[in-house]
Amino acid sequence: MKYLMSGIGRKQLMAITGLLWSGFVFAHMLPNLLIIFSPEAYNKYSHALTSNPLIYIPEALLVFTILLHLVNGIWVTVENKRARPNKYEMAPSGEKAPRFQSKWMIYHGILLAVFIVYHLVTFKFGPYYSVTYNGVEMRDIHRLVIEVFQSPAYVGFYLACMVAVGFHLSHGFYSSFATLGFFHPRYSPAIEKFGYVYAAVVAGGFMSQPLYVFFLAGR
Amino acid sequence: MGGTNSTNLKLKLKVWRQKNPQSEGHFENYDVDSISSDASFLEMLDVVNNKLIRDGKDPIAFDHDCREGICGSCSMVINGNPHGPQKGTATCQLHMRKFQSGDSITIEPFRAKSFPVIKDLAVDRSAFDRIIASGGYVSVNAGNARDANSIPVPKAKAERAFMSAACIACGACVAACSNSSAMLFVSAKVSHLGLLPQGDPERESRVLKMMRTMEEAGFGNCSNTGACSLACPKEISFENIADLNREFARASAKERA
Ligand code: HEM
Ligand code: FES
């Protein structure tokens, strides 16, 4: 308990929950690319997931872990701001400039929290259209996605949020290894590079879908 | 003094002046000239202070002691960088040849809730002493010292402990950190003592006590930006912080009650 209340303990919890979500976003992005290839495959994949009662277990885990991450993210950030009540006139620069601006984490993070709720409201709890393939009735989630991504405002918001995911991951992936106590002069630069590539792949993959729909499909 | 390459610099200084811990503080501008490029940064401030004293004004207060880069007193932030622009160098070892005539130099104190300003550039770093007192030591029972050569220390560990022991507790890591975290300082002490057989018996209790004292003193958490290592005049590795995270988790898991 003392551990879970300590600064390092809370950051390690953030690192574990953050890494779990990092894995989830990739696993969410990849099959969504089916939208580009086949509406039927897209709907069938979605149906296979949602019709399995076991889906509640990972869903509950995701909700629980993101809440832990969010609460601790706000908590550590408040502590961090309090630790420097008087600001500097100038920031470190030149040879001593830190590699990246991790101070944005809380801002992308809060945008992501808003996004996740809005995203669930739009899609998961959005209008139910029905479609039947070979006598099996299922939700036509593909139609909803095509409809939603006709709005330039929605697409713009979605793209901005995916840029935020990219930035969040580009620091977060690397950072979590250090937080969990893993740093090695030989492997850490590779982890850092992998983090950048991973962030770009996840963000790019998610962005390809609204762009594809807006410019190429449903027009 | 000075070789053939020495020149005289004209500088625009913008220095933080604050009467006491309670007062507000503000920047004041000073135009100085005839500063030798061979002077150290502190010698430049000495010249400025001599003039202030001659003019009947209050000299700029700053901490300094050894002036050879080993005591860790000379705390100040120069153009946004703790200890100035040159890596691996304490302010007292920084030379004016790093600057050019006509440069503007902003000089601020280390800023952190746990390092309150005493006056001008001098800050109270006794929070570091409290962290050390809580666990940054090795307990020995008095008696005959054991022959040092009879305690085997693997070379790799000895080297990492020695690199960590280079920390002069100046507080530049706190000053550079966007969260005013003291994790690099604590990690240096934890690795220095914990890696050696003499410090092993207190390995777990040390890290727990030091981290708890650090948090109570109001330092922030680590966001892994790496700014601390870059600012450190002894270039303590960022790797130490990951080691500290691991040591803390390990000690927490082993702790009873
Ligand atoms: C729900 C909204 C979110 C908020 C408010 C949030 C906030 C934060 C903050 C403030 C940090 C930095 C903590 C620090 O080092 O000072 C952070 C780190 C991190 N976040 Fe998030 N985040 C959110 C969502 C996400 C998501 C969706 C993912 C994964 C896709 C994620 C992955 C990570 C990772 C891996 C870290 C690194 C942990 C570490 O530094 O050890 N976060 N988050
Ligand atoms: S005065 Fe001692 S380190 Fe600079």
Side-chain angles (χ1 to χ4, degrees):
Chain A
M1 210 49 214
K2 259 197 229 161
Y3 166 76
L4 289 179
M5 289 295 122
S6 70
I8 293 182
R10 280 180 283 130
K11 281 257 15 216
Q12 291 181 335
L13 214 56
M14 287 193 72
I16 293 167
T17 52
L19 280 182
L20 199 120
W21 266 76
S22 306
F24 163 70
V25 287
F26 185 76
H28 184 35
M29 179 279 287
L30 202 60
N32 277 14
L33 291 175
L34 285 174
I35 199 164
I36 295 170
F37 304 106
S38 149
E40 185 174 339
Y42 192 76
N43 280 334
K44 280 183 170 165
Y45 172 72
S46 161
H47 182 70
L49 281 185
T50 49
S51 59
N52 186 341
L54 289 178
I55 195 71
Y56 289 114
I57 298 171
E59 274 181 357
L61 186 72
L62 284 171
V63 171
F64 180 66
T65 51
I66 199 76
L67 288 177
L68 274 181
H69 188 87
L70 180 126
V71 168
N72 281 316
I74 295 174
W75 189 356
V76 298
T77 306
V78 168
E79 282 177 341
N80 295 346
K81 300 266 172 222
R82 284 208 187 129
R84 162 129 340 116
N86 299 311
K87 301 278 161 276
Y88 283 114
E89 180 79 358
M90 291 177 78
S93 58
E95 287 184 329
K96 293 184 177 178
R99 289 187 336 285
F100 32 53
Q101 294 288 14
S102 66
K103 60 178 126 175
W104 291 96
M105 292 301 273
I106 190 65
Y107 306 114
H108 327 125
I110 288 172
L111 181 61
L112 291 182
V114 172
F115 173 80
I116 292 169
V117 173
Y118 191 47
H119 184 69
L120 289 175
V121 170
T122 311
F123 294 109
K124 190 171 179 65
F125 303 110
Y128 187 99
Y129 301 125
S130 162
V131 66
T132 307
Y133 298 111
N134 310 327
V136 184
E137 191 272 347
M138 63 182 70
R139 186 176 184 187
D140 193 354
I141 189 76
H142 178 262
R143 182 174 154 197
L144 179 61
V145 173
I146 300 285
E147 264 180 26
V148 167
F149 285 154
Q150 295 310 314
S151 151
Y154 197 96
V155 170
F157 170 72
Y158 194 95
L159 293 178
C161 292
M162 292 310 106
V163 171
V165 167
F167 278 114
H168 204 76
L169 282 177
S170 70
H171 174 60
F173 188 83
Y174 162 83
S175 176
S176 12
F177 284 87
T179 303
L180 293 173
F182 184 81
F183 189 93
H184 189 285
R186 196 148 24 139
Y187 307 119
S188 290
I191 292 176
E192 188 184 359
K193 282 197 200 92
F194 183 81
Y196 288 133
V197 173
Y198 192 75
V201 167
V202 167
F206 275 126
M207 286 161 93
S208 70
Q209 296 156 29
L211 287 175
Y212 164 76
V213 172
F214 188 74
F215 287 110
L216 299 172
R219 290 245 136 175
Chain B
M1 237 185 32
T4 43
N5 293 331
S6 116
T7 52
N8 275 340
L9 306 175
K10 224 172 127 91
L11 302 164
K12 281 185 194 320
L13 303 186
K14 183 173 163 191
V15 185
W16 184 258
R17 302 304 308 263
Q18 182 172 340
K19 265 201 162 55
N20 55 46
Q22 290 75 37
S23 64
E24 272 279 305
H26 62 280
F27 281 103
E28 231 164 83
N29 294 310
Y30 302 94
D31 286 318
V32 296
D33 49 29
S34 317
I35 298 291
S36 161
S37 59
D38 288 337
S40 77
F41 201 83
L42 297 187
E43 283 163 348
M44 182 276 290
L45 286 178
D46 292 339
V47 170
V48 175
N49 275 345
N50 279 341
K51 175 146 195 325
L52 286 174
I53 293 168
R54 273 201 306 277
D55 296 348
K57 296 198 181 122
D58 195 21
I60 302 161
F62 61 91
D63 273 324
H64 61 104
D65 187 16
C66 70
R67 297 207 178 196
E68 54 185 10
I70 53 172
C71 75
S73 303
C74 49
S75 57
M76 61 189 75
V77 171
I78 302 164
N79 286 341
N81 291 317
H83 293 297
Q86 187 170 312
K87 269 174 97 175
T89 310
T91 304
C92 59
Q93 300 292 96
L94 177 68
H95 284 84
M96 296 313 294
R97 64 183 76 96
K98 266 276 167 187
F99 298 89
Q100 278 171 359
S101 209
D103 277 0
S104 300
I105 307 179
T106 301
I107 312 174
E108 306 174 68
F110 284 2
R111 295 190 194 273
K113 180 173 153 228
S114 320
F115 284 172
V117 170
I118 301 170
K119 186 174 192 293
D120 301 337
L121 305 174
V123 298
D124 176 359
R125 282 167 286 178
S126 56
F128 269 16
D129 299 337
R130 294 201 297 281
I131 295 175
I132 291 288
S134 70
Y137 49 77
V138 171
S139 303
V140 282
N141 291 323
N144 284 343
R146 220 173 126 187
D147 174 17
N149 290 330
S150 72
I151 307 170
V153 184
K155 173 129 169 76
K157 278 194 176 182
E159 258 169 22
R160 296 224 38 227
F162 188 71
M163 271 152 61
S164 308
C167 168
I168 53 176
C170 63
C173 44
V174 175
C177 174
S178 55
N179 310 335
S180 298
S181 175
M183 293 258 297
L184 191 68
F185 165 70
V186 175
S187 70
K189 304 302 162 194
V190 163
S191 299
H192 163 204
L193 301 172
L195 285 168
L196 296 174
Q198 294 89 338
D200 193 58
E202 283 152 317
R203 180 173 166 192
E204 286 90 19
S205 62
R206 176 181 307 114
V207 61
L208 294 174
K209 285 188 206 154
M210 290 182 83
M211 276 310 295
R212 282 170 194 158
T213 314
M214 178 194 120
E215 283 181 21
E216 278 160 21
F219 294 99
N221 307 288
C222 176
S223 292
N224 301 316
T225 71
C228 50
S229 281
L230 296 170
C232 176
K234 300 296 152 186
E235 301 182 90
I236 301 290
S237 164
F238 175 70
E239 192 177 352
N240 281 49
I241 291 196
D243 292 346
L244 171 60
N245 282 323
R246 201 172 58 242
E247 281 293 300
F248 185 84
R250 178 180 170 278
S252 297
K254 285 180 130 191
E255 192 183 25
R256 291 156 186 253

